[in-house]
Coordinates of all heavy atoms in Angstrom, one line a residue:
P1 N 40.7 -25.5 10.6 CA 40.4 -24.0 10.6 C 40.8 -23.5 9.1 O 41.7 -23.9 8.5 CB 41.5 -23.6 11.7 CG 41.7 -24.7 12.5 CD 41.6 -26.1 11.7
A2 N 40.0 -22.5 8.9 CA 40.0 -21.8 7.5 C 41.6 -21.4 7.2 O 42.0 -21.6 6.0 CB 39.3 -20.7 7.5
D3 N 42.3 -20.9 8.1 CA 43.6 -20.4 7.8 C 44.6 -21.6 7.5 O 45.5 -21.6 6.6 CB 44.3 -19.5 8.9 CG 44.4 -20.3 10.2 OD1 43.4 -21.1 10.6 OD2 45.3 -20.0 11.0
K4 N 44.3 -22.7 8.1 CA 45.2 -23.9 8.0 C 44.8 -24.5 6.5 O 45.6 -25.1 5.8 CB 44.9 -25.0 8.9 CG 45.8 -26.2 8.8 CD 47.2 -25.8 9.2 CE 48.2 -27.2 9.1 NZ 49.6 -26.7 9.1
L5 N 43.5 -24.4 6.1 CA 43.0 -24.9 4.9 C 43.7 -24.2 3.7 O 44.2 -24.8 2.7 CB 41.6 -24.7 4.7 CG 40.6 -25.9 5.4 CD1 39.3 -25.6 5.1 CD2 41.0 -27.2 4.8
V6 N 43.9 -22.8 3.8 CA 44.6 -22.1 2.9 C 46.1 -22.5 2.7 O 46.5 -22.7 1.5 CB 44.6 -20.5 3.3 CG1 45.4 -19.7 2.4 CG2 43.1 -20.0 3.1
E7 N 46.5 -22.8 3.8 CA 48.1 -23.4 3.8 C 48.0 -24.7 3.1 O 49.0 -25.1 2.3 CB 48.5 -23.3 5.2 CG 49.9 -23.9 5.4 CD 50.4 -24.0 6.8 OE1 50.0 -23.2 7.6 OE2 51.1 -25.1 7.3
L8 N 47.2 -25.6 3.4 CA 47.1 -26.9 2.9 C 46.8 -26.9 1.3 O 47.4 -27.9 0.7 CB 46.1 -27.8 3.6 CG 46.3 -28.2 5.0 CD1 45.2 -28.8 5.7 CD2 47.6 -29.1 5.1
T9 N 46.1 -26.1 0.9 CA 45.7 -26.0 -0.5 C 46.7 -25.2 -1.4 O 46.5 -25.2 -2.6 CB 44.3 -25.8 -0.7 OG1 44.0 -24.3 -0.2 CG2 43.2 -26.7 -0.1
A10 N 47.4 -24.3 -0.7 CA 48.3 -23.4 -1.5 C 49.2 -24.1 -2.5 O 49.4 -23.6 -3.5 CB 49.1 -22.5 -0.6
G11 N 49.7 -25.2 -2.1 CA 50.7 -25.9 -3.0 C 50.1 -26.9 -3.9 O 50.8 -27.5 -4.7
D12 N 48.9 -27.3 -3.6 CA 48.3 -28.2 -4.4 C 48.1 -27.9 -5.9 O 47.9 -26.7 -6.2 CB 46.8 -28.6 -3.9 CG 46.8 -29.3 -2.5 OD1 47.9 -29.6 -2.0 OD2 45.8 -29.5 -2.0
T13 N 48.2 -28.8 -6.7 CA 48.1 -28.6 -8.2 C 46.7 -27.9 -8.6 O 46.7 -26.9 -9.2 CB 48.2 -29.8 -9.0 OG1 49.5 -30.4 -8.7 CG2 48.2 -29.6 -10.5
P14 N 45.5 -28.6 -8.1 CA 44.3 -27.9 -8.4 C 43.9 -26.8 -7.3 O 43.0 -26.0 -7.7 CB 43.4 -29.0 -8.3 CG 43.9 -29.9 -7.4 CD 45.4 -29.8 -7.5
G15 N 44.6 -26.7 -6.2 CA 44.3 -25.7 -5.3 C 43.1 -25.9 -4.5 O 42.5 -24.9 -4.0
R16 N 42.6 -27.1 -4.5 CA 41.4 -27.5 -3.8 C 41.4 -29.0 -3.4 O 42.2 -29.7 -4.0 CB 40.1 -27.2 -4.5 CG 40.1 -28.0 -5.8 CD 38.7 -27.8 -6.6 NE 38.7 -28.6 -7.9 CZ 38.3 -29.7 -7.9 NH1 38.0 -30.3 -6.8 NH2 38.3 -30.4 -9.0
F17 N 40.6 -29.3 -2.5 CA 40.3 -30.8 -2.3 C 39.3 -31.3 -3.2 O 38.4 -30.5 -3.8 CB 39.8 -31.0 -0.8 CG 40.8 -30.7 0.2 CD1 40.8 -29.6 0.8 CD2 41.8 -31.7 0.6 CE1 41.8 -29.1 1.8 CE2 42.7 -31.4 1.5 CZ 42.7 -30.3 2.1
G18 N 39.5 -32.6 -3.6 CA 38.5 -33.1 -4.7 C 37.1 -33.4 -3.9 O 37.0 -33.6 -2.8
A19 N 36.1 -33.3 -4.8 CA 34.7 -33.8 -4.3 C 34.8 -35.2 -4.1 O 35.3 -35.9 -5.0 CB 33.7 -33.3 -5.4
P20 N 34.2 -35.7 -3.3 CA 34.0 -37.2 -3.1 C 33.4 -37.9 -4.4 O 34.0 -39.0 -4.7 CB 33.0 -37.4 -1.9 CG 33.0 -36.1 -1.1 CD 33.4 -35.1 -2.1
E21 N 32.6 -37.2 -5.2 CA 32.1 -37.8 -6.4 C 33.2 -38.0 -7.4 O 33.1 -39.0 -8.3 CB 31.0 -37.0 -7.0 CG 29.8 -36.8 -6.2 CD 29.9 -35.8 -5.1 OE1 30.8 -35.0 -5.0 OE2 29.0 -35.8 -4.2
E22 N 34.3 -37.2 -7.3 CA 35.4 -37.3 -8.2 C 36.3 -38.6 -8.0 O 37.2 -39.0 -8.8 CB 36.3 -36.1 -8.1 CG 35.6 -34.9 -8.6 CD 36.5 -33.7 -8.6 OE1 36.7 -33.1 -7.4 OE2 37.0 -33.1 -9.6
M23 N 36.0 -39.3 -6.8 CA 36.7 -40.6 -6.5 C 36.0 -41.8 -7.1 O 36.6 -42.8 -7.3 CB 36.8 -40.7 -4.9 CG 37.4 -39.5 -4.2 SD 39.0 -39.0 -4.7 CE 38.6 -37.3 -4.9
C24 N 34.8 -41.6 -7.5 CA 33.9 -42.7 -7.9 C 34.4 -43.4 -9.2 O 34.3 -44.7 -9.2 CB 32.4 -42.2 -8.1 SG 31.6 -41.6 -6.6
A25 N 35.0 -42.7 -10.1 CA 35.4 -43.4 -11.3 C 36.6 -44.3 -11.1 O 36.6 -45.4 -11.6 CB 35.8 -42.2 -12.4
A26 N 37.5 -43.9 -10.2 CA 38.6 -44.7 -9.8 C 38.2 -46.0 -9.1 O 38.7 -47.0 -9.4 CB 39.7 -44.0 -9.0
V27 N 37.3 -45.8 -8.2 CA 36.8 -47.0 -7.4 C 36.0 -47.8 -8.5 O 36.2 -49.1 -8.3 CB 35.9 -46.5 -6.3 CG1 35.2 -47.7 -5.6 CG2 36.7 -45.7 -5.3
G28 N 35.2 -47.2 -9.2 CA 34.4 -48.1 -10.2 C 35.3 -48.9 -11.1 O 35.0 -50.2 -11.4
F29 N 36.4 -48.3 -11.6 CA 37.4 -49.0 -12.4 C 37.9 -50.2 -11.6 O 37.9 -51.4 -12.1 CB 38.4 -48.2 -12.9 CG 39.5 -49.0 -13.6 CD1 39.2 -49.6 -14.8 CD2 40.8 -49.1 -13.0 CE1 40.3 -50.3 -15.5 CE2 41.8 -49.8 -13.6 CZ 41.6 -50.5 -14.8
L30 N 38.4 -49.9 -10.4 CA 39.1 -51.0 -9.6 C 38.1 -52.1 -9.2 O 38.7 -53.2 -9.0 CB 39.7 -50.4 -8.4 CG 41.0 -49.5 -8.7 CD1 41.5 -48.8 -7.4 CD2 42.2 -50.2 -9.4
A31 N 36.9 -51.8 -9.2 CA 35.9 -52.9 -8.8 C 35.4 -53.5 -10.1 O 34.7 -54.5 -9.9 CB 34.7 -52.1 -8.0
S32 N 35.8 -53.1 -11.2 CA 35.2 -53.7 -12.5 C 36.0 -54.9 -12.9 O 37.1 -55.1 -12.6 CB 35.1 -52.7 -13.5 OG 36.5 -52.4 -14.0
E33 N 35.3 -55.6 -13.9 CA 36.0 -56.8 -14.5 C 37.2 -56.2 -15.4 O 38.1 -57.1 -15.4 CB 35.0 -57.5 -15.3 CG 34.1 -58.3 -14.6 CD 33.1 -59.1 -15.5 OE1 33.5 -59.5 -16.7 OE2 31.9 -59.5 -15.0
E34 N 37.2 -55.0 -15.8 CA 38.3 -54.5 -16.6 C 39.6 -54.6 -15.9 O 40.6 -54.5 -16.4 CB 38.0 -53.2 -17.3 CG 37.0 -53.2 -18.4 CD 35.5 -53.3 -18.0 OE1 35.1 -53.1 -16.7 OE2 34.6 -53.4 -18.7
A35 N 39.4 -54.3 -14.5 CA 40.7 -54.3 -13.7 C 40.9 -55.6 -12.9 O 41.7 -55.7 -12.0 CB 40.4 -53.2 -12.6
G36 N 40.4 -56.6 -13.6 CA 40.6 -58.0 -13.0 C 42.0 -58.5 -12.9 O 42.3 -59.3 -12.2
Y37 N 43.0 -57.9 -13.7 CA 44.2 -58.2 -13.7 C 45.2 -57.3 -12.9 O 46.3 -57.3 -12.9 CB 44.8 -58.5 -15.1 CG 46.1 -59.3 -15.2 CD1 46.1 -60.7 -14.8 CD2 47.2 -58.8 -15.7 CE1 47.2 -61.4 -14.9 CE2 48.3 -59.6 -15.8 CZ 48.3 -60.9 -15.4 OH 49.4 -61.7 -15.4
V38 N 44.5 -56.3 -12.4 CA 45.2 -55.3 -11.6 C 45.2 -55.5 -10.2 O 44.1 -55.7 -9.7 CB 44.6 -53.8 -11.9 CG1 45.3 -52.8 -11.1 CG2 44.7 -53.4 -13.3
T39 N 46.2 -55.7 -9.5 CA 46.4 -56.0 -8.1 C 47.5 -55.4 -7.4 O 48.6 -55.2 -8.1 CB 46.1 -57.4 -7.8 OG1 45.9 -57.7 -6.5 CG2 47.4 -58.3 -8.3
G40 N 47.4 -55.1 -6.2 CA 48.5 -54.6 -5.4 C 48.9 -53.1 -5.6 O 49.9 -52.7 -5.3
I41 N 47.9 -52.3 -6.0 CA 48.3 -50.9 -6.3 C 47.5 -50.0 -5.4 O 46.4 -50.4 -4.8 CB 48.0 -50.5 -7.8 CG1 46.5 -50.5 -8.0 CG2 48.6 -51.3 -8.8 CD1 45.9 -49.6 -9.0
V42 N 48.1 -48.8 -5.1 CA 47.5 -47.8 -4.5 C 47.3 -46.7 -5.4 O 48.3 -46.1 -6.0 CB 48.0 -47.2 -3.3 CG1 47.5 -46.1 -2.6 CG2 48.3 -48.4 -2.2
L43 N 46.0 -46.3 -5.9 CA 45.9 -45.4 -7.1 C 45.7 -43.9 -6.4 O 44.6 -43.8 -5.8 CB 44.7 -45.8 -7.9 CG 44.3 -44.9 -9.1 CD1 45.5 -44.8 -10.0 CD2 43.0 -45.5 -9.7

């Protein structure tokens, strides 16, 4: 509900939820060869 969304985003640094597209770079990095030595993290 809209009133609950206002409450949920009021304390957030950006004041909004991220777009799904904004998650792509992180997923792309973790799936890339450059992250081949990165394991066991939650980003």
Side-chain angles (χ1 to χ4, degrees):
D3 59 327
K4 185 66 174 175
L5 279 175
V6 170
E7 181 182 323
L8 288 172
T9 58
D12 290 356
T13 302
R16 64 177 178 85
F17 291 97
E21 297 80 15
E22 292 177 290
M23 310 301 129
C24 294
V27 172
F29 170 70
L30 291 175
S32 73
E33 289 186 27
E34 287 83 6
Y37 201 65
V38 177
T39 191
I41 65 150
V42 176
L43 178 62

